[in-house]
Amino acid sequence: DDLLSMLAHELRNPLAPIRNAAHLLKRGGAQGEVVVRVAELLERQIGHMARIVDDLLDVSRLAHGRLELRCEELDLRSVVEEAVRDAGPVFDAAGLSLLAVLSETPVKVSADPARVRQALENLLTNARKFTGPGGTVEVTVGTPGGSAEAFVSVSDTGVGIDAETLPRLFSVFNQSGTTLDRPLGGLGLGLALVKGLVELHGGAV
């Protein structure tokens, strides 16, 4: 019941602005800047709904072992650098500092760049959601002590994680400190996807 309530709420939220945008266009007479603003609104809200559906599909594929990786050799630093650069404007708008601390030497891994990027974006979204204005989020990538392992760390100055939540942090539909009125939104899929994608690569989170 809780899951259905969360899912209904998350999918319903974008519908009101989409409906309003359709009404504006239907009325006629909308021109220039208004049409551009309406188009941007539609793009944002439909993108939000698409992400929810994509996350649900990916969780299902992971659960049934049907998610396939397209691995290639890549430098983990470039994936992290790109994700941090792209997320910068959203963090700036939220009044947050987003920093990348990169290893001086290449961090070569065999991985699916799109899936690594997806996991990293989910971690950054989570950090942004639970860090107040004026806070800092830092992404570090490197190899501990020159070992054959690569690591990526996302740390923030946010609210932290209470001991009760920690054991189920990466569980599907887990939500820390939220109730069904959905003050922070989301279905609690982001960190579960991070865990599934990292483990699919043979890693740990």
Side-chain angles (χ1 to χ4, degrees):
D1 288 348
D2 286 355
L3 167 60
L4 288 173
S5 178
M6 285 193 295
L7 183 55
H9 194 94
E10 285 297 310
L11 291 174
R12 186 182 61 188
N13 276 348
L15 291 179
I18 288 172
R19 189 181 292 114
N20 290 340
H23 180 67
L24 273 173
L25 293 175
K26 195 174 174 182
R27 264 191 341 198
Q31 307 203 9
E33 289 182 18
V34 174
V35 173
V36 171
R37 283 204 309 273
V38 169
E40 289 172 347
L41 182 148
L42 287 169
E43 190 174 35
R44 277 196 310 274
Q45 298 302 331
I46 291 169
H48 175 63
M49 293 184 80
R51 281 192 299 276
I52 292 171
V53 174
D54 285 344
D55 282 353
L56 286 166
L57 288 171
D58 282 344
V59 164
S60 175
R61 290 186 189 111
L62 280 167
H64 294 90
R66 291 199 299 261
L67 197 150
E68 294 182 7
L69 297 178
R70 295 176 179 158
C71 292
E72 59 186 69
E73 186 177 291
L74 55 89
D75 185 351
L76 204 50
R77 297 177 308 171
S78 62
V79 179
V80 169
E81 201 169 21
E82 186 180 83
V84 168
R85 185 179 63 244
D86 290 352
V90 181
F91 276 75
D92 289 343
L96 299 171
S97 297
L98 177 58
L99 309 173
V101 180
L102 306 175
S103 164
E104 291 182 4
T105 56
V107 181
K108 298 284 189 178
V109 294
S110 175
D112 183 327
R115 295 304 185 177
V116 171
R117 173 77 181 257
Q118 181 182 6
L120 184 57
E121 285 173 351
N122 284 349
L123 288 172
L124 290 176
T125 297
N126 196 73
R128 177 176 53 80
K129 192 184 291 187
F130 292 98
T131 304
T136 300
V137 176
E138 187 171 279
V139 187
T140 306
V141 60
T143 51
S147 75
E149 287 189 333
F151 78 88
V152 176
S153 164
V154 177
S155 60
D156 61 64
T157 57
V159 296
I161 303 163
D162 60 79
E164 186 182 329
T165 300
L166 203 54
R168 62 176 194 276
L169 187 65
F170 293 94
S171 303
V172 178
F173 306 123
N174 176 59
Q175 291 265 306
S176 174
T178 61
T179 56
L180 288 180
D181 58 358
R182 324 298 303 126
L184 293 173
L187 281 172
L189 295 175
L191 293 183
L193 276 173
V194 170
K195 183 175 188 290
L197 291 171
V198 170
E199 289 179 350
L200 198 60
H201 280 88
V205 60

